[in-house]
Amino acid sequence: MLVLSPTSNNLKKAAKLLKENKLVAFPTETVYGVGCTYKSIKAYKALNKLKRRTPNKPYTLMLGSIHEIKKFAKLNQKTTKFINKVLPGSVTLLLKVKPNLPKYLSKDGIIGIRVPDYKLTLSLLKLSGPLLVPSLNRTNKEPLNEINKIKKEFAGELDAVINAKIKKDKPSTVLLISDKIKVIREGKIPSKKLIEVYNKLWKLP
């Protein structure tokens, strides 16, 4: 496992590994995540193995820009306005998936999308392209945020980890956006605040 400091050159190294279907852990504004390219079934299976997770639950797709969302999800005018108000940020949106994408990206026609509000993560995403990114932990275990614990737990499974200080925080708030908004998980940003923003959009022209 490569342990990389968060320099520009090391972010390029991490991005290269990700493009080669490797697994790389990195900090976000909430917890450490582990990412792989969304394009590779091989990388997806390696992520499932590391997480010890069955392949019937898709991972969140993390993007480097809100402008990329329309490539993966069906958006109407109101949803687009909502996205522009709440992202980037600690919010994961469950949206209707576009057709002709790999089946493992979605379930029941829904895809999870997140655009983080964290400079290091965004810099990596702009180099690597979109990534599947769950929290860095085994399924049903607490996320790991300390480099020594990460190295011990995932030795031989992670290809690299970007070592940077992280303020342990709540995970992202998860919202399902269909005909109306539904809270799936409370997180860093109070869902009540997000719902207020969403409901106000009905009153806009």
Side-chain angles (χ1 to χ4, degrees):
M1 180 194 308
L2 285 175
V3 178
L4 304 171
S5 58
T7 64
S8 296
N9 283 339
N10 280 339
L11 290 180
K12 290 176 183 177
K13 286 181 185 178
K16 184 175 184 293
L17 287 169
L18 288 160
K19 290 177 180 179
E20 294 171 349
N21 302 332
K22 306 297 186 183
L23 301 181
V24 177
F26 51 87
T28 72
E29 76 272 39
T30 54
V31 296
Y32 255 90
V34 53
C36 74
T37 177
Y38 81 95
K39 297 178 180 179
S40 168
I41 185 68
K42 179 182 176 181
Y44 168 74
K45 288 180 177 179
L47 186 58
N48 278 339
K49 185 177 179 181
L50 179 141
K51 291 281 291 182
R52 296 177 182 165
R53 182 163 160 176
T54 56
N56 61 354
K57 185 179 178 184
Y59 296 105
T60 297
L61 185 67
M62 192 173 279
L63 307 175
S65 165
I66 61 173
H67 303 296
E68 293 181 279
I69 297 176
K70 62 186 177 184
K71 298 177 185 177
F72 300 95
K74 297 177 182 178
L75 305 177
N76 57 33
Q77 188 176 17
K78 184 179 178 183
T79 303
T80 300
K81 287 181 178 179
F82 183 65
I83 286 168
N84 288 333
K85 285 185 175 294
V86 302
L87 294 177
S90 301
V91 182
T92 297
L93 299 180
L94 303 182
L95 303 164
K96 292 180 181 178
V97 70
K98 278 199 164 180
N100 303 319
L101 290 171
K103 290 183 179 180
Y104 55 81
L105 294 184
S106 62
K107 183 178 181 181
D108 299 329
I110 299 296
I111 186 170
I113 301 280
R114 176 151 135 69
V115 182
D117 186 19
Y118 190 64
K119 185 178 178 181
L120 187 155
T121 315
L122 290 172
S123 297
L124 177 62
L125 287 163
K126 285 169 184 176
L127 292 167
S128 68
L131 301 174
L132 299 176
V133 184
S135 56
L136 181 59
N137 62 312
R138 309 291 189 187
T139 298
N140 298 323
K141 302 291 184 181
E142 286 296 312
L144 297 180
N145 292 304
E146 296 177 21
I147 193 68
N148 289 334
K149 290 182 179 179
I150 290 170
K151 287 163 65 178
K152 183 178 179 180
E153 177 69 27
F154 296 106
E157 294 180 82
L158 274 177
D159 295 285
V161 56
I162 298 172
N163 183 16
K165 288 184 179 180
I166 184 169
K167 180 183 177 183
K168 186 177 179 181
D169 211 332
K170 293 180 180 178
S172 63
T173 303
V174 181
L175 302 175
L176 173 64
I177 310 293
S178 54
D179 297 329
K180 49 187 176 181
I181 191 168
K182 181 180 178 181
V183 180
I184 303 300
R185 181 182 73 192
E186 285 289 349
K188 184 174 180 179
I189 300 177
S191 61
K192 182 179 178 181
K193 180 180 177 181
L194 294 166
I195 291 170
E196 285 175 359
V197 172
Y198 186 80
N199 289 337
K200 283 179 181 177
L201 294 174
W202 284 114
K203 301 173 185 178
L204 296 177

